[in-house]
Amino acid sequence: MARPLSRRTLFQAAALTATAVSAAATGRAVAASNAPAAAPRLPAAWTVRPFALEDVTLGPGVFAGKRQLMLDHARGYDVHRLLQVFRANAGLSTRGAVAPGGWEGLDGEANGNLRGHYTGHFLTMLAQAHRGTGEQVFADRIITMVDALTEVREALRREPAVLSVEGRFGRAAENLRGSHQYVDLPPAVLADSPALTLSAWVRPAHDAAWARVFDFGDDTTRYLYLAARNGNGVPRFAVTTSGPGGEQGLDGSAPLPLGEWSHLAVTLADGTGTLYVDGTAVARNTAMTLTPAALGTLAHHWLGRSNFPADPVFAGAFEGVEVFSRALTAGEITELRDGRAADASTGRGDLASYAFDETTGSTFADASGRGLDATLRRTWGAPSHPGFLAAYPETQFIELESMTGSDYTRVWAPYYTAHKILRGLLDAYSATDDGRALDLASGLCDWMYARLSVLPAATLQRMWGLFSSGEFGGVVEAVCDLHAITGRAEHLALARLFDLDRLIDACAANTDVLDGLHANQHIPVFTGLVRLHDETGEERYLTAAKNFWGMVVPHRVYAIGGTSSGEFWKARDVIAGTVTDTTAESCCAYNMLKLSRALFFHEQDPAYMDYYERALFNQVLGSKQDRADAEKPLVTYFIGLTPGHVRDYTPKQGTTCCEGTGMESATKYQDSVYFAAADASALYVNLYSASRLTWAEKGVTVTQTTRYPEEQGSTLTFGGGWASFTLLLRVPSWADAGFRVTVNGRAVPGTPVPGRYFGVTRTWRAGDTVRISVPFRLRVERTPDDPSLQALLYGPVDLVARHPGPDALRLGLYGNAGLSGDLLPSLTPVPGSPLHFTLDGIELVPFAEGTEDPTHAYIRRSEPRVIFGTSDSGVANPARSDGTTLLDEIWAAAPFRDKGALVARVRSAVDAWVSAGLLSRADGDTVVGTARRATYAD
């Protein structure tokens, strides 16, 4: 019988009862980190299962080194910066933290319409870091974040409450940028007054134009307002009964300083308006014929909000807001600048007066005697369900429901952001057993179900078909994982509400419809479908996912394992024709690895792990720069594959989706090194990577010692007790130079086949040693649409040329090719630098090295003359119309058992080319003679 899995592995196996979840959700769980789950189960469809991150320890090597760089970032980054956008949205104090910026800031791309997603990524990184290392610092940071998010959700459930801060003379009320809060005054504030004075102390926190201090009006036709900044950055007062074109206004002469208190006042009477800043008149207009009385009864009386919906909400603090029914004198304005109205000769405003001394609640007392108490409100009202949790208003979700076209500046993938938060919370729960994280996750799904379950099916299909705006990432996978814990029917029903039927049906029918689709919007859809199959048993989901994978691999995959061009897929088998500076979005590789892994749980096709090795050892490793930084994860977004491209490790102002998935990738390198058969009858070794597996179910440990890929092989050493099972060793599809296995020094009988697993069945004892030898060869990989554009691969390693661009490098490789077909003899190793070579003075290095050197991921193959073993025939290398050269045809038959076999191949190829009129007989004889005289490497 299998040992019960810990609650930390719940997303790999366990499903807890709803009763247990309810108990855990009442507070922070105190279960030991290795406490068994209440009701462990594996999805019935899984024929293998993964090991938990804590069961596999990384040994010294490239993966441990890259992970250490990311762990340093995870320790050093101030998590309160991530929480800033959540706290601001809820109107809570941000504790002086500065928002991360980029996609997480209101000034970044699309005005921060994706903010909050990065917090989810960071939670997942911390959870994986804690599980992989056991270091308490990561758990402590998770708890800090869950504390804050719990407080945020509670604040969002309530009416907004005043954020009291120190003011100019006493207390003040602050509106945080991103809170969307404003002060709502009762009707009839202006009381049809023929004259007016507005007075307020303000401390602007941002320089956004058209943020209002006052705005009294009906719509965008009848209103008066006082803006902290107009389009030129200076204060403006205006009044109109005919919209912007009829405004009578006053403009200041200088911007208000940010972060400092300024006194603003406007007087209006007898056709004259005057604008004061800090007691000084800065503008006067003697042709202002409109008065408050001319506006009539107005619907809205706001502090901090504009009647123009596109205008920003005022970000900053208010104190001492006074509204008078007369025009104060300059001297009286000076008094208000120098102290509180209650202490000035003016007294409190007779139309309205707010000191903002309140330190709690959402109501501000009016001291005018008219009883016009004001109320703090959100522009978007209240969440539609108490489970709502986000770093921006619910309006993005609401607007998506009526959108018919894509516009990410209005709505940018809100369900994608919800997914990242949900995933981070679930991972936080799996790492710490903090029941509050699970409660937040469950509430978030309850809110999503409440929104989506009432929408017509046609609306959902339209939403999910929108590029970018309707992107929902891996939300289905995460919701299914939650359902595996709670067992609640609503959660499974929610997961199915994201079905995009036209895509699922096409892929289930194996109809390739990927051309023109946004790649990373759709890859995680299929990982979700695999999990939906697990939870529902519906074969359509799994079939669609398998077929989809086959449409991407290899038909839309670059040599490094990445996919997409400018974030989109192009036509099948067009690789050379899609190489740009914006190829291979890093998120795509991350999600293709997840999908490959999920499919392997159902069908142990080695092709899934062959792809996994390719993408992991090349793009994923190479997407992380080889230096630490506490402020930035230093991960690429795109990896340009054009000649001389320099990788950008601080893309798009930071905090992008790819930096988020990059943080996750670098803290789970060990997640697919080993799998176990569901019945524990076999152990799969999928990747050759220095690591130590603790297989508690069998009572054994397996220590893998290797410098792979610098070392062409690996050693497995068993510890613990006796255990009988089959050790399944992956034979890479490229391993055609021989794959050999010994156990305790003796060769294992059998013939390993490239692209399959090689099994060794025995009762394993402590001290047993398995040695795997995997010789590498240098080979080329031709792009299907342009065979002369080629990538160089040495074993699992993609070699790139370090050289400036912009022209493609033209290199020849057949000059000293070995009889085995190995092209490596044409290269010169760099002493002291494993996996580094030179060719024609150009250095070739592993793509995985995260430097900012210009590189060529593809080279232009150039073999102008027929050369064998460095012997030059002097004959031009002829080519067919499809680009295949004579040398290509000759070496396609490698390996050769000896020189005679090679010469025979040369003779037969030459005869065919002479017969086809592609080569003269004389030149053909010269080629055969050169092949016979040449000396070859093995």
Side-chain angles (χ1 to χ4, degrees):
M1 291 293 291
R3 182 177 73 93
L5 301 176
S6 78
R7 282 175 58 184
R8 289 186 170 190
T9 63
L10 57 95
F11 302 130
Q12 300 163 348
L16 306 183
T17 65
T19 302
V21 170
S22 177
T26 60
R28 188 176 303 165
V30 293
S33 61
N34 61 350
R41 68 164 172 84
L42 285 171
W46 286 12
T47 48
V48 301
R49 68 168 176 84
F51 290 93
L53 291 177
E54 54 266 33
D55 293 337
V56 183
T57 304
L58 285 179
V62 62
F63 289 108
K66 292 268 189 178
R67 183 180 72 168
Q68 188 59 51
L69 296 173
M70 195 60 77
L71 293 178
D72 291 342
H73 174 67
R75 292 187 189 95
Y77 192 82
D78 180 5
V79 296
H80 291 285
R81 295 188 63 193
L82 299 169
L83 297 167
Q84 195 271 356
V85 291
F86 284 89
R87 286 173 165 146
N89 186 49
L92 298 173
S93 170
T94 59
R95 307 184 183 188
V98 177
W103 286 7
E104 284 291 308
L106 283 161
D107 297 313
E109 193 171 354
N111 301 315
N113 281 353
L114 213 65
R115 60 191 185 276
H117 83 111
Y118 204 69
T119 295
H121 285 298
F122 209 92
L123 275 170
T124 292
M125 173 180 66
L126 291 175
Q128 293 174 172
H130 178 56
R131 293 176 63 184
T133 68
E135 293 182 31
Q136 186 62 31
V137 61
F138 302 120
D140 291 343
R141 307 198 102 202
I142 291 171
I143 291 170
T144 295
M145 297 177 75
V146 171
D147 282 343
L149 293 175
T150 301
E151 183 184 13
V152 164
R153 187 180 69 173
E154 290 306 309
L156 288 170
R157 289 175 170 181
R158 302 187 304 263
E159 290 293 325
V162 61
L163 182 58
S164 181
V165 296
E166 184 177 351
R168 181 67 175 80
F169 300 107
R171 303 303 297 173
E174 183 166 27
N175 279 353
L176 291 170
R177 186 161 184 252
S179 70
H180 296 272
Q181 291 182 173
Y182 69 101
V183 180
D184 188 16
L185 279 55
V189 170
L190 298 180
D192 294 327
S193 175
L196 179 70
T197 295
L198 303 175
S199 170
W201 279 98
V202 294
R203 186 178 64 193
H206 191 257
D207 60 1
W210 303 114
R212 305 294 204 255
V213 178
F214 296 89
D215 197 322
F216 302 157
D218 268 353
D219 44 34
T220 58
T221 302
R222 293 190 309 139
Y223 55 80
L224 68 79
Y225 68 79
L226 175 60
R229 288 173 180 252
N230 65 6
N232 295 320
V234 297
R236 174 172 173 80
F237 172 81
V239 58
T240 183
T241 57
S242 56
E247 286 186 1
Q248 299 176 5
L250 299 159
D251 291 306
S253 56
L256 300 183
L258 298 181
E260 298 180 17
W261 285 103
S262 296
H263 183 256
L264 290 178
V266 173
T267 62
L268 180 62
D270 302 323
T272 298
T274 307
L275 172 65
Y276 295 86
V277 177
D278 290 328
T280 299
V282 296
R284 179 169 284 109
N285 185 344
T286 58
M288 299 188 71
T289 59
L290 296 175
T291 66
L295 298 178
T297 302
L298 300 174
H300 306 135
H301 301 79
W302 293 332
L303 304 179
R305 181 179 180 181
S306 171
N307 275 284
F308 287 79
D311 288 342
V313 176
F314 177 77
F318 290 101
E319 185 183 4
V321 170
E322 311 290 340
V323 184
F324 296 87
S325 62
R326 64 185 180 88
L328 300 188
T329 67
E332 290 174 319
I333 296 296
T334 300
E335 286 189 77
L336 294 178
R337 179 201 65 185
D338 293 339
R340 287 195 162 202
D343 301 324
S345 64
T346 60
R348 310 296 291 264
D350 62 317
L351 294 181
S353 176
Y354 307 99
F356 292 111
D357 284 333
E358 291 82 1
T359 58
T360 60
S362 58
T363 301
F364 301 105
D366 171 34
S368 71
R370 300 178 67 204
L372 299 180
D373 291 353
T375 304
L376 186 64
R377 302 192 190 281
R378 299 186 187 99
T379 59
W380 55 281
S384 62
H385 185 280
F388 176 75
L389 177 64
Y392 48 62
E394 196 174 355
T395 48
Q396 278 213 61
F397 299 91
I398 296 169
E399 191 170 355
L400 175 62
E401 294 166 8
S402 61
M403 287 181 70
T404 57
S406 301
D407 184 353
Y408 86 125
T409 63
R410 288 169 50 211
V411 175
W412 191 5
Y415 285 96
Y416 170 92
T417 303
H419 157 245
K420 292 305 176 187
I421 297 168
L422 173 62
R423 180 79 267 167
L425 290 168
L426 290 173
D427 291 337
Y429 175 61
S430 74
T432 65
D433 287 335
D434 189 335
R436 298 169 309 153
L438 180 60
D439 184 55
L440 289 169
S442 185
L444 189 56
C445 287
D446 293 343
W447 161 75
M448 281 192 274
Y449 182 71
R451 281 218 72 85
L452 297 176
S453 63
V454 298
L455 296 177
T459 299
L460 293 173
Q461 294 299 313
R462 173 173 46 77
M463 285 165 56
W464 308 144
L466 291 174
F467 159 60
S468 192
S469 298
E471 182 175 354
F472 54 76
V475 70
V476 174
E477 177 193 14
V479 174
C480 285
D481 288 346
L482 178 66
H483 174 256
I485 307 169
T486 67
R488 288 176 50 195
E490 311 94 279
H491 291 157
L492 184 57
L494 170 63
R496 301 188 78 148
L497 290 174
F498 291 93
D499 281 5
L500 181 56
D501 289 330
R502 70 172 182 270
L503 179 65
I504 297 171
D505 292 342
C507 290
N510 207 20
T511 302
D512 191 330
V513 294
L514 303 191
D515 187 2
L517 289 185
H518 183 245
N520 197 52
Q521 180 168 347
H522 294 93
I523 300 170
V525 169
F526 290 92
T527 307
L529 294 182
V530 176
R531 287 292 291 116
L532 259 180
H533 166 267
D534 296 342
E535 298 299 304
T536 66
E538 190 168 327
E539 286 298 325
R540 165 176 168 259
Y541 292 138
L542 183 59
T543 300
K546 288 180 179 179
N547 290 341
F548 165 81
W549 191 91
M551 295 170 194
V552 178
V553 182
H555 305 289
R556 293 177 170 90
V557 169
Y558 301 103
I560 60 172
T563 186
S564 79
S565 179
E567 298 195 11
F568 289 82
W569 281 307
K570 309 301 181 185
R572 189 180 179 106
D573 293 321
V574 177
I575 298 298
T578 61
V579 168
T580 69
D581 285 340
T582 57
T583 36
E585 183 185 355
S586 295
C587 274
C588 293
Y590 163 89
N591 278 310
M592 283 300 297
L593 291 188
K594 289 192 72 173
L595 177 59
S596 301
R597 186 174 188 264
L599 289 171
F600 194 89
F601 296 159
H602 297 82
E603 179 184 8
Q604 288 71 65
D605 184 344
Y608 294 135
M609 285 298 122
D610 270 344
Y611 171 77
Y612 202 101
E613 177 186 65
R614 176 190 291 262
L616 181 67
F617 277 79
N618 294 292
Q619 170 152 6
V620 173
L621 279 177
S623 66
K624 172 71 185 87
Q625 190 172 17
D626 292 333
R627 68 182 181 90
D629 192 308
E631 289 300 306
K632 297 180 290 293
L634 299 178
V635 174
T636 59
Y637 191 103
F638 295 118
I639 293 182
L641 301 179
T642 49
H645 183 81
V646 176
R647 291 174 219 170
D648 180 2
Y649 294 100
T650 55
K652 289 180 170 281
Q653 302 174 310
T655 62
T656 64
C657 53
C658 292
E659 287 163 291
T661 53
M663 294 189 299
E664 295 182 36
S665 290
T667 48
K668 65 178 182 71
Y669 289 134
Q670 73 269 40
D671 75 340
S672 296
V673 176
Y674 310 99
F675 294 151
D679 62 1
S681 63
L683 177 67
Y684 289 80
V685 181
N686 303 310
L687 300 171
Y688 300 109
S689 174
S691 55
R692 176 184 171 87
L693 167 68
T694 300
W695 193 4
E697 187 173 349
K698 287 289 191 179
V700 300
T701 62
V702 180
T703 301
Q704 186 173 174
T705 306
T706 182
R707 298 188 315 280
Y708 187 93
E710 293 180 4
E711 175 185 356
Q712 298 181 19
S714 186
T715 301
L716 306 179
T717 304
F718 286 80
W722 293 14
S724 297
F725 57 88
T726 299
L727 183 68
L728 292 169
L729 304 167
R730 186 178 65 87
V731 185
S733 59
W734 48 261
D736 55 3
F739 183 99
R740 293 178 292 279
V741 179
T742 63
V743 175
N744 299 330
R746 295 185 177 182
V748 177
T751 303
V753 178
R756 297 187 182 178
Y757 281 81
F758 182 71
V760 183
T761 303
R762 61 182 276 135
T763 298
W764 300 95
R765 299 173 174 85
D768 281 350
T769 301
V770 178
R771 176 62 192 169
I772 302 118
S773 176
V774 196
F776 295 177
R777 284 180 179 165
L778 180 68
R779 65 193 189 282
V780 298
E781 197 167 89
R782 297 172 172 84
T783 60
D785 51 326
D786 183 353
S788 71
L789 192 68
Q790 301 176 1
L792 305 181
L793 292 106
Y794 185 50
V797 177
D798 183 88
L799 294 176
V800 296
R802 280 187 181 156
H803 196 270
D807 297 323
L809 290 172
R810 306 184 70 85
L811 298 176
L813 295 166
Y814 287 138
N816 197 28
L819 292 173
S820 64
D822 190 357
L823 302 173
L824 189 65
S826 295
L827 308 186
T828 302
V830 176
S833 297
L835 301 177
H836 284 229
F837 306 91
T838 59
L839 176 63
D840 296 339
I842 295 167
E843 188 177 19
L844 301 171
V845 303
F847 182 90
E849 293 186 0
T851 72
E852 294 178 306
D853 297 298
T855 59
H856 294 242
Y858 288 95
I859 57 100
R860 184 67 66 181
R861 190 67 174 275
S862 178
E863 307 281 355
R865 294 187 308 282
V866 178
I867 300 174
F868 295 106
T870 70
S871 296
D872 192 338
S873 69
V875 175
N877 184 24
R880 290 200 177 101
S881 58
D882 65 357
T884 302
T885 69
L886 174 63
L887 283 174
D888 290 336
E889 185 161 312
I890 291 169
W891 286 105
F896 301 105
R897 66 179 182 276
D898 53 29
K899 178 178 177 179
L902 170 61
V903 173
R905 172 66 176 181
V906 172
R907 184 180 296 110
S908 65
V910 163
D911 289 345
W913 282 60
V914 169
S915 297
L918 300 173
L919 185 69
S920 71
R921 172 51 64 184
D923 283 346
D925 291 342
T926 299
V927 167
V928 173
T930 303
R932 187 180 294 114
R933 291 190 302 273
T935 301
Y936 301 92
D938 291 335

